[in-house]
Amino acid sequence: MNQSHEAPTARVATRSRSKLTAKAAPIMALAVCCLLGEQAAQARVVIPLGDDDQWVSVGFGLRPFFSDVTRNHAAGTNPDRVDLESFRVFSSASFNQYLKATFNTQIDNNNSMQIIDGIGQFEPMDEINVWGGRMLPPSDRANLDGPYYLLGWSYPGVVSRYPGRAAGRLDGGAVWGKLFDKRLVYVFGAYSGHNDIVGASNISGNPLFAGRVTYNFLDPDPAPAYYTGSTYYGSADILALGFAVQHQQDGVGTQFRRGDFTAWNADLLFEKKLGEFGVATFEGAYYRYYTQGVTDVATTFNNARSTDLVGGIRPGEAFMLGAGYLTPFTIGWGKLQPYFRYQQFRDTLATTVERQYDMGVTYVINGHDLRITANYAINQFTARKDVDKFILGLQVQF
């Protein structure tokens, strides 16, 4: 589906000395990575290839973490683990003033490599640009943030459920631009359709259409293109209201019982510099997903792979609220940003409700390029027991 990653959760419990010692090792390893990362975060490579408009750049991103499911973990599984949520290689090239390309890959915690971005870019002016290939489609702010630019650690997969082939991406083309001193950002595109597989609903190969418009009432969004972030750590004053919609004929179900897929959401981000008192951040989003009363097939339907854009869409209503506060004082290398987020999704067919509470603090050393996050979350679902999970994660980009 979308970019959703593990939704971390946790709980304080009494441990024996041996268990504490065992858990200290991965935490110390993350700390060592952090010290190395402070050097590496400045090492983005840009290779000039002639004049100023010809170059190639290469960078990397990684998110190692330690997690502990403290309540109701799956039977027979180890609740404690150290893993690499994602390792990404970023590369881009500029051939001249107007023609560019992006190619990004990811290795996830299943040790599988994916091409997450492969984009040909024609960018003649701020007001209108044309992209083609595999890219993030118009959708909610969370999906356009991706895991690396969120307020906190975990992707809000309880509410953000737009279909995606690989890390929220789709194959297709889009037109985007920035108007009115870059305050109005628009993007519209057409993409390969959902459930385009033998036996599923999209036997006619209908495309998925998507669009998004965002207006920034204060400073323009600092993110490039039509991408977003959910915190900028005080680099700008943001009041952004966005609206996104997606639609596909015969987007859900089987070839014998088909339904159109329609989804829309509105999202708001407010981040304000408070001078010597730090930075306050508030975000919210509301979602509706429609399937015309049709139950979608499973994501494994007809031996579909996880990247085949098949199944898994559920109709429902969802919303998310979040808040963060970046402290004004420096501790060691960085500043602390405590945060809270609440998500809720109500399935209108199954009449079930899922909720998740995330509470955490991020140690911000170099913005989104170098940060450490401790997150505790509680996941509640109508048909199963609550799950609590603690996660300690390091994010490095360079």
Side-chain angles (χ1 to χ4, degrees), residues 335-348:
K335 299 179 179 180
L336 296 176
Q337 186 187 52
Y339 64 88
F340 173 82
R341 185 177 67 198
Y342 174 75
Q343 306 173 69
Q344 177 177 301
F345 178 84
R346 181 176 62 87
D347 189 314
T348 53

Side-chain angles (χ1 to χ4, degrees), residues 107-119:
I107 299 175
D108 59 24
N109 56 10
N110 294 319
N111 295 320
S112 61
M113 175 175 280
Q114 298 175 324
I115 297 174
I116 56 174
D117 295 292
I119 312 170

Side-chain angles (χ1 to χ4, degrees), residues 42 52 59 64 126 176 200 203 225 246 251 262 268 291 298 334 370 375 390:
Q42 311 300 323
D52 292 341
D126 289 335
W176 66 271
I203 56 177
Q246 293 188 2
T262 303
L268 177 73
T291 65
L370 185 56
N375 191 90
F390 171 78

Side-chain angles (χ1 to χ4, degrees), residues 225-255:
Y226 56 89
Y227 301 144
T228 60
S230 280
T231 179
Y232 295 103
Y233 305 115
S235 63
D237 286 333
I238 299 294
L239 178 57
L241 178 63
F243 178 81
V245 62
Q246 293 188 2
H247 176 76
Q248 181 191 323
Q249 183 179 352
D250 297 338
V252 295
T254 69
Q255 68 179 92

Side-chain angles (χ1 to χ4, degrees), residues 139-380:
S139 50
D140 59 324
R141 176 172 287 270
N143 197 39
L144 297 179
D145 290 352
Y148 285 80
Y149 295 91
L150 295 168
L151 175 65
W153 180 265
S154 64
Y155 185 81
V158 173
V159 296
S160 183
R161 295 169 178 256
Y162 287 102
R165 184 178 299 276
R169 273 67 171 176
L170 292 175
D171 299 337
V175 177
W176 66 271
K178 299 186 176 184
L179 308 172
F180 307 119
D181 294 327
K182 300 184 179 182
R183 283 182 167 78
L184 178 66
V185 183
Y186 73 88
V187 54
F188 300 98
Y191 303 88
S192 56
H194 185 257
N195 275 5
D196 187 3
I197 192 173
V198 174
S201 58
N202 195 18
I203 56 177
S204 300
N206 296 306
L208 183 147
F209 298 98
R212 177 181 172 89
V213 176
T214 305
Y215 190 79
N216 293 274
F217 294 90
L218 300 177
D219 294 334
D221 198 309
Y226 56 89
Y227 301 144
T228 60
S230 280
T231 179
Y232 295 103
Y233 305 115
S235 63
D237 286 333
I238 299 294
L239 178 57
L241 178 63
F243 178 81
V245 62
Q246 293 188 2
H247 176 76
Q248 181 191 323
Q249 183 179 352
D250 297 338
V252 295
T254 69
Q255 68 179 92
F256 303 109
R257 178 167 169 74
R258 304 190 295 271
D260 295 347
F261 166 69
T262 303
W264 66 268
N265 87 278
D267 49 66
L268 177 73
L269 176 68
F270 177 54
E271 183 162 270
K272 179 64 177 175
K273 294 175 285 186
L274 304 176
E276 62 182 12
F277 298 104
V279 180
T281 305
F282 301 92
E283 64 173 336
Y286 177 80
Y287 302 78
R288 289 301 301 265
Y289 302 92
Y290 303 93
T291 65
Q292 294 189 313
V294 174
T295 299
D296 199 14
V297 298
T299 55
T300 56
F301 177 81
N302 206 2
N303 297 316
R305 299 167 299 178
S306 60
T307 57
D308 280 340
L309 197 61
V310 172
I313 291 178
R314 294 163 57 190
E317 178 183 34
F319 70 92
M320 177 187 71
L321 295 172
Y325 174 68
L326 183 67
T327 59
F329 45 83
T330 300
I331 301 175
W333 301 306
K335 299 179 179 180
L336 296 176
Q337 186 187 52
Y339 64 88
F340 173 82
R341 185 177 67 198
Y342 174 75
Q343 306 173 69
Q344 177 177 301
F345 178 84
R346 181 176 62 87
D347 189 314
T348 53
L349 274 183
T351 63
T352 57
V353 176
E354 184 176 3
R355 301 180 180 90
Q356 182 161 312
Y357 303 83
D358 285 271
M359 297 150 280
V361 60
T362 299
Y363 183 47
V364 183
I365 301 171
N366 186 21
H368 293 289
D369 287 342
L370 185 56
R371 64 183 192 178
I372 304 171
T373 301
N375 191 90
Y376 168 62
I378 305 169
N379 185 262
Q380 300 174 332

